[in-house]
């Protein structure tokens, strides 16, 4: 009762202090911060609901990918593909064996999971609820030096959290850095996996001062996401450019005429970045004595996307993960994708891709030891690892630009254009008839624009 | 003619002597952060001292906003391994790349 009165008084005080300030700030200042227990004083039931989101489970039921059981949950918790070649199960956060210099470290795919690792991916119950690191996403004064893995007194590997009152008093809508702390670091280093920087230099939305959650606006911590051949888990809420830019958003009708079959990203995200290829069968030794997967990385916008029809469903084969769609499918549009190729081990007998536990190769470079360890974790027997390649199409939906968007002359040209019209299903005769690869299609219109620009 | 060749040789030799400054344009360093000097969270520049396995230290001048933000909220802090590339400008080692080597 006393707590509630104090809280009410705090809220009254806070609301008069200013709308931007978190209403519970005074309460936290007086009572300190005790993790989700404190948050739940006002946000009752939120922790329990959060346990049922992709951020906590690293998985969800998936209905748009071929060959996966739609009754099971899939995601970085359990998927095997050649960008990561492991998952939360085989690469659970742990201490790796000592390298030749006698050094060890604590690493694992689930090091970004917003729990404390003692309550881990997909855990449930009161203990899990209290393990949630609300502030890592919601505080603008989070001390990230506290969010490090460490060993507890009984030898368990746990993830530290900043539960200081100072951090708790600075809660609010997640800022870009709250999201990017994890989302830029996936896949082996900063901007390696997705390869986009969300800053004013690289993205039109960021340049306008927008933050990630302005588009990925969550409800009950369910975060809307777009369709992506390589991101399967979702919170059941989808997002598209048209949510904010509906109808005919261009001044030029010719551009609007593209919208039926061309995704916004095709013109407005002309570059890609991040890793374009990795070899998990051959790790590179670092000066620290540790090894890492051999990786070729490109800066944001440095790589060229490829273009393909996509209807939101996904081809999922051992050597190919990519978009389904065609010109004849009315649900399909042409989208840009970042192409990635990964080399890893496949099982000679089954032809299936094998996962790798990174602990052994990180310490010694022995990749087959990593495959053997992962096989043990997954209960696979008698695997016969043979190297093979897999091609993956990543959605290319960030690095949005207005000024550098593709113009007519980037696609509709005799050679070297962005789009391979024949591969996309247009016959030579149609290309000729519609002048799809000729300046005669667009010259007058573009000239008029260029002249206006010069005025 | 001999004088001309001698003069050209001298010029070439001078160019070679001057080369180290240019060659240092793409220096790389892998080491641990042992010190960060930054005048408050809004500072426009910081100096991070890195130390490699052999104990060699190098002071890196950091100017990009993202890395400065990471210093401010301790996403990068003392003890972190860093991969760094830098250019020598006016006697300072100015970072062109300053990131932790691994993500997960």
């Amino acid at each position: 009762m006393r707590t509630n009165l104090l809280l009410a008084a705090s809220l009254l005080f806070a609301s008069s202090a200013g709308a931007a300030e978190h209403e519970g700030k005074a309460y936290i200042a007086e009572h300190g911060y005790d993790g989700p227990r404190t948050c739940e004083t006002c946000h009752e039931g939120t922790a329990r609901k959060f346990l049922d989101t992709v951020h906590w489970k690293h998985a969800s039921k998936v209905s748009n990918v071929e060959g996966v059981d739609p009754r099971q949950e899939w995601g970085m918790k359990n998927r095997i593909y050649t960008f990561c070649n492991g998952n939360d199960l085989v690469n659970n956060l742990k201490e790796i064996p000592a390298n030749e210099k006698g050094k060890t470290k604590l690493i694992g795919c689930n090091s970004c999971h917003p729990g404390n690792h003692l309550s881990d991916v997909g855990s449930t119950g009161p203990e899990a609820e209290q393990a949630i690191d609300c502030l890592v996403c919601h505080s603008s004064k989070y001390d990230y030096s506290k969010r490090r893995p460490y060993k507890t007194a009984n030898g368990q590997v746990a993830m530290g959290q900043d539960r200081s009152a100072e951090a708790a008093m600075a809660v609010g809508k997640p800022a870009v850095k709250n999201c990017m702390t994890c989302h830029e670091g996936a896949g082996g280093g900063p901007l390696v996996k997705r390869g986009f920087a969300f800053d004013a230099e690289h993205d039109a939305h960021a340049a306008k001062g927008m933050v990630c959650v302005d588009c990925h606006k969550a409800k009950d911590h369910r975060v809307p996401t777009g369709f992506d051949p390589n991101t399967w888990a979702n919170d059941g809420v989808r997002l598209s450019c048209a949510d904010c830019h509906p109808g005919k958003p261009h001044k030029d009708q010719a551009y609007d005429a593209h919208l039926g079959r061309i995704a916004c990203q095709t013109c407005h995200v002309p570059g890609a970045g991040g890793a374009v290829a990795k070899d998990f069968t051959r790790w590179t030794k670092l000066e620290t004595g540790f090894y890492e997967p051999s990786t070729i990385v490109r800066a944001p916008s440095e790589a060229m996307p490829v273009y393909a029809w996509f209807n939101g469903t996904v081809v999922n084969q051992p050597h190919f993960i990519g978009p389904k769609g065609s010109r004849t499918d009315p649900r399909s549009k042409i989208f840009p994708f970042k192409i990635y190729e990964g080399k890893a081990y496949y099982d000679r007998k089954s032809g299936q891709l094998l996962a790798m536990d990174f602990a052994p190769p990180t310490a010694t470079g022995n990749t087959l030891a990593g495959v053997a360890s992962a096989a043990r974790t997954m209960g696979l027997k008698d695997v016969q690892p043979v190297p093979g390649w897999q091609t993956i199409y990543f959605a290319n939906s960030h690095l949005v630009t207005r000024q550098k968007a593709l113009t007519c002359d980037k696609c509709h040209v005799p050679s070297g254009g962005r789009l391979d019209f024949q591969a996309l299903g247009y016959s030579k005769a149609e290309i000729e008839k519609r002048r799809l690869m000729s300046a005669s299609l667009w010259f007058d219109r573009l000239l008029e624009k260029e002249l206006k620009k010069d005025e | 003619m001999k004088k001309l060749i001698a003069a050209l040789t001298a010029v070439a030799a001078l160019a070679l002597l001057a080369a180290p400054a240019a060659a240092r344009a793409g220096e790389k360093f892998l080491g641990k952060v042992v010190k960060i000097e930054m005048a408050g969270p809004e500072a426009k520049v910081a100096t991070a001292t890195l130390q490699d396995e052999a104990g060699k230290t190098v002071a890196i001048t950091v100017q990009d906003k993202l890395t400065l933000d990471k210093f401010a909220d301790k996403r990068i802090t003392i003890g972190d391994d860093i991969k760094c590339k830098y250019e020598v400008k006016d006697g300072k080692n100015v970072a062109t790349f300053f990131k932790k080597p691994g993500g997960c």
Side-chain angles (χ1 to χ4, degrees):
Chain A
M1 180 64 183
R2 185 172 175 272
T3 304
N4 287 340
L5 282 173
L6 281 170
L7 179 59
S10 304
L11 292 179
L12 193 65
F13 170 79
S15 60
S16 63
E21 196 164 81
H22 178 232
E23 292 180 343
K25 185 175 177 181
Y27 176 80
I28 295 165
E30 185 172 348
H31 294 86
Y33 182 68
D34 186 24
R37 199 170 283 111
T38 301
C39 303
E40 289 261 329
T41 310
C42 291
H43 305 282
E44 194 179 353
T46 301
R48 184 178 47 77
K49 285 182 187 169
F50 183 72
L51 300 187
D52 194 34
T53 66
V54 169
H55 271 95
W56 188 259
K57 296 192 296 181
H58 285 183
S60 76
K61 287 182 179 170
V62 174
S63 59
N64 65 328
V65 179
E66 70 176 18
V68 299
D69 184 346
R71 293 165 300 180
Q72 302 266 324
E73 295 198 328
W74 300 91
M76 59 182 283
K77 171 187 169 184
N78 55 1
R79 272 187 65 195
I80 305 168
Y81 61 113
T82 58
F83 199 92
C84 295
N85 201 210
N87 51 45
D88 294 336
L89 297 176
V90 300
N91 275 317
N92 181 27
L93 177 60
K94 58 182 173 285
E95 183 173 29
I96 65 163
N99 67 13
E100 64 182 19
K101 295 183 176 182
K103 288 183 172 178
T104 184
K105 57 181 177 179
L106 304 170
I107 58 168
C109 292
N110 47 348
S111 56
C112 263
H113 182 257
N116 61 5
H117 192 244
L118 303 174
S119 287
D120 196 18
V121 174
S123 56
T124 56
E127 199 175 324
E129 289 175 23
Q130 292 311 315
I132 298 168
D133 192 352
C134 307
L135 302 185
V136 75
C137 298
H138 286 285
S139 173
S140 59
K141 289 192 176 169
Y142 194 92
D143 179 349
Y144 290 91
S145 68
K146 292 180 180 170
R147 195 173 160 78
R148 308 272 160 138
Y150 66 95
K151 285 175 97 171
T152 63
N154 62 3
Q156 290 180 288
V157 177
M159 180 59 81
Q161 299 182 3
D162 180 5
R163 291 194 166 190
S164 65
E166 187 190 7
M169 285 192 290
V171 296
K173 186 169 82 169
V176 172
K177 78 168 180 184
N178 294 99
C179 303
M180 292 301 268
T181 295
C182 282
H183 287 277
E184 78 166 20
L191 306 181
V192 166
K193 189 173 187 180
R194 294 276 161 196
F196 69 83
F198 192 76
D199 56 29
E201 182 190 346
H202 295 96
D203 194 286
H205 294 110
K208 283 189 176 293
M210 291 173 66
V211 298
C212 309
V213 296
D214 286 331
C215 293
H216 298 276
K217 198 171 190 172
K219 189 177 178 193
D220 288 337
H221 288 95
R222 294 186 173 278
V223 181
T225 46
F227 287 94
D228 177 352
N230 194 50
T231 301
W232 297 358
N234 63 87
D235 277 324
V237 196
R238 294 301 188 174
L239 155 85
S240 80
C241 308
D243 296 346
C244 291
H245 305 283
K248 296 176 178 175
H250 302 99
K251 288 177 186 164
D252 185 337
Q253 287 183 347
Y255 287 160
D256 281 336
H258 283 69
L259 294 178
R261 303 315 305 271
I262 306 279
C264 307
Q265 297 96 313
T266 299
C267 300
H268 288 281
V269 187
V276 294
K278 278 191 194 184
D279 185 351
F280 284 96
T281 69
R282 184 180 62 172
W283 286 41
T284 302
K285 190 175 184 180
L286 305 174
E287 288 171 42
T288 55
F290 293 116
Y291 293 76
E292 65 179 17
S294 304
T295 306
I296 293 174
V297 184
R298 295 288 171 256
S301 291
E302 198 185 20
M304 179 84 86
V306 297
Y307 300 89
W309 292 102
F310 185 36
N311 63 14
T313 61
V314 178
V315 180
N316 172 36
Q317 298 164 352
H319 294 278
F320 181 83
I321 298 171
K324 266 187 171 180
S326 72
R327 191 182 168 204
T328 55
D329 172 3
R331 294 174 306 155
S332 296
K333 287 187 179 186
I334 295 170
F335 277 81
F337 297 94
K338 179 182 97 162
I339 284 278
Y340 165 84
E341 291 179 277
K343 187 180 182 186
Y345 292 105
Y346 287 78
D347 184 14
R348 186 193 302 274
K349 288 182 293 182
S350 69
Q352 295 300 310
L353 181 64
L354 295 166
M356 186 181 290
D357 174 2
F358 289 176
T362 299
T364 65
N366 187 342
T367 55
L368 287 171
V371 171
S373 173
R376 281 194 297 276
T377 301
M378 299 182 75
L380 299 174
K381 288 179 181 170
D382 304 323
V383 295
Q384 295 178 16
V386 289
W389 286 90
Q390 181 185 58
T391 301
I392 302 175
Y393 281 55
F394 282 79
N396 203 45
S397 299
H398 297 89
L399 301 169
V400 176
T401 178
R402 185 179 181 185
Q403 303 301 335
K404 293 179 184 172
L406 299 184
T407 44
C408 316
D409 56 310
K410 299 297 188 297
C411 296
H412 298 289
V413 284
S415 66
R418 290 285 185 124
L419 300 184
D420 182 341
F421 286 97
Q422 285 192 57
L424 288 166
Y426 296 82
S427 69
K428 276 186 180 176
E430 185 181 5
I431 292 168
E432 185 74 23
K433 188 180 172 190
R434 292 177 59 189
R435 298 176 293 151
L436 291 176
M437 295 172 68
S438 167
S440 65
L441 177 71
W442 45 261
F443 183 83
D444 293 342
R445 182 187 300 277
L446 199 55
L447 179 66
E448 195 181 327
K449 280 189 181 180
E450 304 274 319
L451 291 175
K452 268 187 190 167
K453 239 191 260 177
D454 292 339
E455 280 172 7
Chain B
M1 184 63 182
K2 279 183 183 174
K3 281 183 181 173
L4 179 64
I5 291 170
L8 288 172
T9 307
V11 169
L14 281 172
L16 279 174
L17 283 173
R24 277 176 289 180
E27 293 278 6
K28 290 179 184 176
F29 198 85
L30 178 65
K32 273 193 192 309
V33 180
V34 292
K35 189 178 179 185
I36 296 174
E37 293 166 280
M38 189 174 174
E42 303 301 324
K44 305 284 184 207
V45 65
T47 304
T49 305
L50 305 181
Q51 185 172 51
D52 70 8
E53 293 275 310
K56 180 189 169 190
T57 60
V58 59
I60 306 290
T61 301
V62 175
Q63 295 170 327
D64 76 283
K65 189 173 182 314
L66 186 58
T67 308
L68 293 172
D69 281 349
K70 289 182 178 182
F71 289 162
D73 58 31
K74 299 181 185 172
R75 278 179 283 171
I76 295 176
T77 190
I78 309 295
D80 282 340
D81 284 322
I82 291 292
K83 267 185 186 174
C84 173
K85 290 180 191 168
Y86 61 89
E87 291 175 353
V88 181
K89 286 181 186 168
D90 301 328
K92 288 184 175 177
N93 305 317
V94 180
T96 55
F97 181 96
F98 193 97
K99 288 175 180 172
K100 294 186 196 177
C104 22

